[in-house]
Amino acid sequence: MRILLVGASGAMGQSVVRFVEQTTDQVTVALQDKESNEESYEVFTTFEAMSQYLTENPEAADVIIDFSSPKITDDVLKIAEKHQTPLMLATTGQTEEQEQLIKAAAKNIAIVDTHNTSIGVNVMQALVAQMTKMLYPLGYDIEVIEKHHRYKKDSPSGTAKMILKAAQDSIDETTTVLNGRDGVDYERPHSEIGVHAIRGGDIVGEHTILFANNQETLELTHRAGTKDLFVRGALQAARFLVNAEPGLYDMHDVIG
């Protein structure tokens, strides 16, 4: 599998490069911030130059993997559509307008859009739905806590939002979301779900959903030990996309 990697110079991009070197897959084209002549793949710093290369070399990439920034999601979608290349979109923080652009592009190409490529996190999402259906009607309150390294820019994390959505979609009444808590005279309603973000050090990623009533507390936690788990999931999704029909998919489609 030949990979066009967007965000190759970032932490996740470099993890993809290192991991792929141990497989039969290959990074053949990359978009990154700085020019480089030291890589084994073609490096570009602008979408225009990369698009020209892809026009001249239409077999250069079987799939695009994007671990960059929502600031360039629009341009990534344009490249993917123009060159009819499936897209593994693993960035977080897209606007509602960008989400609509993703849906529109998926009419022409296959896209996996996910906030977390970890297999475990996506299994956790399914478990959250089941637990919420069982526990919320019995009066259990729900809170979501996420922890990441000090350099993570968006908050709450995309994965926390995935977990939150899984819980909300499993509740038959309207819920409200409170990001963090502050104040001295506020009583928590049952229909409220608190979401809390912690930033510090080199925490790869940790997500917990808490169910609590007056007698007990249940917690479900996913803890990432290394970025390689995200790379492994992204590559599995990319292989899925190579033979997929145009459409919008998520990791649940990938793992079945």
Side-chain angles (χ1 to χ4, degrees):
M1 179 173 62
R2 293 161 297 185
I3 300 166
L4 189 164
L5 180 60
V6 179
S9 57
M12 280 306 308
Q14 285 299 294
S15 293
V16 171
V17 171
R18 288 192 297 270
F19 193 93
V20 166
E21 289 175 349
Q22 307 170 39
T23 73
T24 57
D25 299 318
Q26 182 183 9
V27 174
T28 54
V29 185
L31 181 77
Q32 58 188 45
D33 295 335
K34 299 179 181 179
E35 294 183 0
S36 173
N37 297 318
E38 301 177 357
E39 314 300 347
S40 60
Y41 42 83
E42 296 290 334
V43 174
F44 298 93
T45 57
T46 68
F47 283 98
E48 291 79 8
M50 185 172 69
S51 181
Q52 180 62 36
Y53 176 82
L54 293 174
T55 299
E56 297 170 356
N57 300 272
E59 305 299 320
D62 299 312
V63 65
I64 299 171
I65 296 179
D66 180 15
F67 272 114
S68 60
S69 160
K71 293 179 180 179
I72 61 173
T73 295
D74 296 18
D75 291 316
V76 173
L77 290 170
K78 290 176 184 176
I79 285 284
E81 281 197 274
K82 179 179 179 179
H83 299 282
Q84 288 295 288
T85 309
L87 172 61
M88 166 72 250
L89 187 59
T91 57
T92 62
Q94 279 93 356
T95 64
E96 291 185 10
E97 290 78 7
Q98 287 177 316
E99 293 293 347
Q100 293 304 313
L101 290 175
I102 293 168
K103 291 178 180 178
K107 296 177 181 179
N108 302 311
I109 57 173
I111 300 176
V112 169
D113 182 21
T114 181
H115 296 300
N116 194 306
T117 57
S118 160
I119 302 301
V121 161
N122 285 275
V123 171
M124 178 182 180
Q125 192 178 11
L127 293 174
V128 166
Q130 294 179 30
M131 295 175 72
T132 301
K133 289 176 182 177
M134 296 173 67
L135 297 173
Y136 183 85
L138 299 178
Y140 287 72
D141 296 323
I142 301 174
E143 299 275 310
V144 177
I145 306 101
E146 58 100 340
K147 305 175 185 178
H148 283 89
H149 53 84
R150 62 181 303 200
Y151 304 105
K152 185 169 178 60
K153 296 179 180 179
D154 58 313
S155 174
S157 69
T159 303
K161 292 177 181 177
M162 285 172 57
I163 294 169
L164 173 64
K165 185 176 186 302
Q168 287 185 300
D169 288 349
S170 303
I171 297 172
D172 292 331
E173 64 182 26
T174 301
T175 57
T176 57
V177 177
L178 180 66
N179 289 300
R181 296 191 181 281
D182 186 30
V184 295
D185 188 22
Y186 178 79
E187 183 175 338
R188 181 200 198 282
H190 178 54
S191 60
E192 178 180 277
I193 301 177
V195 181
H196 312 279
I198 296 170
R199 297 288 177 267
D202 62 352
I203 302 171
V204 176
E206 182 176 318
H207 294 86
T208 296
I209 186 165
L210 177 151
F211 298 88
N213 68 3
N214 293 337
Q215 291 82 39
E216 64 182 358
T217 300
L218 289 84
E219 294 183 8
L220 180 62
T221 296
H222 177 274
R223 189 174 294 110
T226 170
K227 288 184 171 64
D228 284 355
L229 73 94
F230 303 117
V231 177
R232 189 182 301 274
L235 290 176
Q236 185 171 344
R239 294 188 191 98
F240 166 86
L241 283 169
V242 169
N243 298 311
E245 295 294 324
L248 185 59
Y249 304 94
D250 59 25
M251 287 300 292
H252 296 287
D253 297 304
V254 175
I255 65 179

